[in-house]
Amino acid sequence: MAKYLLLKHYRGGPAPTVEYPPMEEWTPAEVDAHLQFMRDFMARLEESGEFVDEQALAPGGAFVRYDGAGRPPVTDGPFAETKDLIAGWCVVDVESWDRAVELAGELSAAPGPGGRPLHEWLEVRPFWGVAPTVTE
Amino acid sequence: MNGSLLRELVPAVLGVLVRRGADFATAEDAVQDALVEAVRRWPVEEPRDPKGWLVTVAWRKFLDAARADGSRRRREERVEVEPAPGPAGEVDDTLQLYFLCAHPSLSPASAVALTLRAVGGLTTRQIARAYLVPEATMAQRISRAKRTVSDVRFSRPGDVATVVRVLYLVFNEGYSGDVDLAAEAIRLTRQLAAVTRHEEVSGLLALMLLHHARRPARTRADGSLVPLAEQDRSRWDTRLIAEGVEVLQAALARDRLGEFQAQAAIAALHADARTVAETDWVQIVEWYDELLRFTDSPVARLNRAVALGEADGPRAGLAALAELDPALPRYAAAAAYLHERDGELATAARLYAEAAASASNLAERDHLTRQAARLNTRLRT
């Protein structure tokens, strides 16, 4: 088994394949259907024994760095509309890269306006594994 | 004996150990060890005197721990030769434990964790799960908290107000896990109310009971939030409401009003309305004015503005809101609500979307997004 991070962005990633309005411009039924899809997806992962973690991030925040002794850290943010922002992630523990990609594909099919899949890009990243005990 | 009945014995047992001269940190670990043993052995044979059994086992565990720790040898010898003090007031012990665990030198998160463990008898693992942190992190938080209060004299009286705040936090903030934190907060507040005649403890207990009564109506099966105005009031727990009102009335009769009693009075007025239309908003505004005598909490001011909008119309509410800082949490949501009531649907939709973007939790964000979606859909047709 190997762990993969399925990373969801607010913005960023390759060029979008489907353009859609922000969620507050959908109908309430479309919003509900989308949220239900996400809950069902996570529930299926738990059932299949592949779920590790799921967290969502609020859009606020900033970049921060050290600015020398005795000085407060420098911040850059909150971010302009154009910057890539991470919206949240899901960590899965699966048999293979192919399975991780399959799951990301399912998640990307979350419904949007008119119930049509959003085709949203998800970033899939492998975690470093553990060093094996037996090496020869 | 079920888990929470067993845990009710914790403060008294811990109190006995501390009064016999055990140091708080070691005694607290010993009581936890005794609880683990009780959970294992009592299903086979429940003792006739559960508390006596726990004291005996916990004391033995304490002595084992003290013996194992060479640096504690002298103290151990002292406690073994010193006769145990006479029967100490169980009531005092319980109260002192609450004071110690909510000591002002502790951060709120530490006080919460220590209270849940040392007074509530929950395990570190249960507390960690409730706050979504690793067990090792919670263990560290608790042991640092114990070190922080290690020099506080057990018999020194504390401030009930700090205890009340810690219990309010337990009730109001927590995630899930296998422990119902709201129910646990109510249990701990009841236990505290039984050993102190403090009006604000009663006020807090009433507030908790009245809010807990609404819990079945507060979320849909899918976990989404149902605002107060849309709740199915037949699903409110009338038994809890009756108890909350009774506790509150007894407290108010003592004529020493405080923040939590005022908040409970507002909750009681909502509980009293069979439909949202029957809500006595005029009285609710008056209670917010009372509340603001005790706290300058911006949240209270914001809620007052919304209540005023119901009592005197949305324009009055918006005028009151205009005097507050727009950066306040839920400001945009309150403004959206009042603008919608005033018929300004486009403004309301924009504000709901803005509120969603600045919400502090997903349930609220989803609810506010849905509100914006609802208005935008209406505006299109």
Side-chain angles (χ1 to χ4, degrees):
Chain A
M1 300 290 275
K3 292 191 176 61
Y4 291 90
L5 175 70
L6 276 49
L7 203 55
K8 192 171 144 56
H9 297 251
Y10 277 111
R11 301 180 278 271
T17 46
V18 176
E19 294 286 350
Y20 54 89
M23 210 185 243
E24 65 262 21
E25 287 167 29
W26 306 1
T27 68
E30 289 161 353
V31 174
D32 288 346
H34 179 86
L35 297 173
Q36 188 63 45
F37 178 96
M38 303 303 268
R39 275 192 297 275
D40 292 346
F41 179 82
M42 297 305 165
R44 275 204 309 280
L45 278 183
E46 281 189 44
E47 242 165 69
S48 64
E50 295 170 310
F51 177 84
V52 178
D53 184 31
E54 175 223 352
Q55 298 289 335
L57 296 175
F63 280 106
V64 181
R65 72 163 173 81
Y66 177 61
D67 195 39
R71 285 207 255 204
V74 169
T75 62
D76 176 16
F79 309 115
E81 293 281 313
T82 51
K83 266 199 186 159
D84 179 15
L85 273 190
I86 295 163
W89 66 77
C90 164
V91 179
V92 295
D93 194 13
V94 293
E95 285 295 344
S96 62
W97 161 258
D98 289 349
R99 175 60 180 156
V101 168
E102 183 183 21
L103 287 171
E106 278 180 39
L107 193 54
S108 167
R116 288 181 301 276
L118 289 175
H119 296 270
E120 200 176 27
W121 284 106
L122 283 156
E123 188 179 350
V124 182
R125 300 282 306 273
F127 279 73
W128 293 113
V130 281
T133 309
V134 179
T135 52
E136 67 276 313
Chain B
M1 178 175 274
N2 69 34
S4 87
L5 278 174
L6 172 63
R7 290 193 289 108
E8 269 171 32
L9 300 170
V10 165
V13 173
L14 183 48
V16 170
L17 263 63
V18 172
R19 281 190 191 272
R20 280 187 188 174
D23 68 285
F24 171 69
T26 316
E28 202 278 322
D29 286 332
V31 172
Q32 280 274 336
D33 290 346
L35 287 178
V36 170
E37 200 161 321
V39 167
R40 193 162 51 82
R41 286 172 50 178
W42 289 12
V44 184
E45 192 188 356
E46 188 167 323
R48 254 186 313 190
D49 173 11
K51 188 187 149 198
W53 187 98
L54 278 175
V55 168
T56 307
V57 173
W59 184 246
R60 206 179 59 226
K61 304 257 181 208
F62 165 73
L63 291 178
D64 288 349
R67 234 170 244 127
D69 183 350
S71 67
R72 292 208 177 116
R73 179 136 316 202
R74 227 168 314 157
R75 186 169 9 171
E76 170 215 336
E77 281 161 2
R78 181 170 59 80
V79 294
E80 275 196 309
V81 286
E82 262 179 26
E90 218 171 84
V91 164
D92 292 347
D93 285 352
T94 299
L95 188 56
Q96 288 309 129
L97 263 183
Y98 276 94
F99 286 148
L100 191 65
C101 295
H103 196 268
S105 62
L106 296 168
S107 70
S110 299
V112 161
L114 191 58
T115 300
L116 286 174
R117 209 180 112 120
V119 190
L122 294 178
T123 64
T124 301
R125 174 187 293 235
Q126 286 173 317
I127 303 167
R129 286 197 178 160
Y131 290 96
L132 299 183
V133 297
E135 190 177 342
T137 301
M138 191 51 83
Q140 198 54 28
R141 197 177 293 172
I142 289 168
S143 72
R144 286 175 68 102
K146 284 187 185 178
R147 274 204 299 278
T148 303
V149 298
S150 62
D151 291 333
V152 177
R153 266 188 35 229
F154 188 66
S155 53
R156 219 173 102 204
D159 183 359
V160 171
T162 64
V163 178
V164 164
R165 250 160 245 296
V166 168
L167 295 174
Y168 179 75
L169 272 183
V170 174
F171 183 76
N172 220 22
E173 287 172 23
Y175 300 87
S176 48
D178 54 351
V179 181
D180 180 345
L181 281 180
E184 181 63 6
I186 290 174
R187 185 181 78 77
L188 292 175
T189 308
R190 258 190 223 287
Q191 190 173 262
L192 178 64
V195 296
T196 174
R197 257 180 63 90
H198 193 290
E199 298 74 25
E200 281 291 87
V201 174
S202 304
L204 176 65
L205 179 57
L207 178 69
M208 288 175 173
L209 292 168
L210 290 163
H211 276 272
H212 206 54
R214 289 188 218 150
R215 188 158 75 162
R218 201 155 46 217
T219 46
R220 297 188 187 85
D222 64 9
S224 60
L225 292 180
V226 186
L228 181 57
E230 289 166 33
Q231 287 176 14
D232 174 358
R233 297 183 177 216
S234 69
R235 297 183 65 201
W236 288 359
D237 188 328
T238 48
R239 196 182 49 85
L240 286 180
I241 290 174
E243 190 192 347
V245 168
E246 196 184 314
V247 170
L248 175 64
Q249 279 171 343
L252 290 176
R254 280 180 250 150
D255 208 20
R256 287 165 58 97
L257 193 58
E259 186 183 340
F260 287 102
Q261 292 169 81
Q263 280 199 60
I266 293 164
L269 283 166
H270 284 300
D272 204 33
R274 276 177 308 156
T275 65
V276 65
E278 284 174 49
T279 310
D280 188 343
W281 290 106
V282 174
Q283 256 210 83
I284 288 177
V285 172
E286 285 169 12
W287 274 107
Y288 273 117
D289 289 334
E290 291 287 344
L291 177 58
L292 287 166
R293 283 173 40 214
F294 300 100
T295 165
D296 59 352
S297 144
V299 177
R301 286 181 196 283
L302 193 75
N303 290 338
R304 182 188 174 277
V306 175
L308 193 70
E310 301 287 359
D312 293 354
R315 296 277 167 87
L318 285 166
L321 206 59
E323 290 168 23
L324 304 177
D325 179 2
L328 280 178
R330 298 210 177 100
Y331 182 97
Y337 176 77
L338 290 167
H339 276 292
E340 182 184 353
R341 302 244 324 158
D342 197 29
E344 299 275 351
L345 300 195
T347 309
R350 181 180 54 74
L351 286 165
Y352 272 129
E354 192 185 313
S358 61
S360 68
N361 63 78
L362 276 177
E364 269 180 32
R365 187 202 65 179
D366 292 345
H367 172 70
L368 293 164
T369 302
R370 207 177 175 286
Q371 296 290 74
R374 176 177 57 79
L375 290 182
N376 281 322
T377 305
R378 245 175 85 188
L379 284 163
R380 278 199 299 270
T381 52

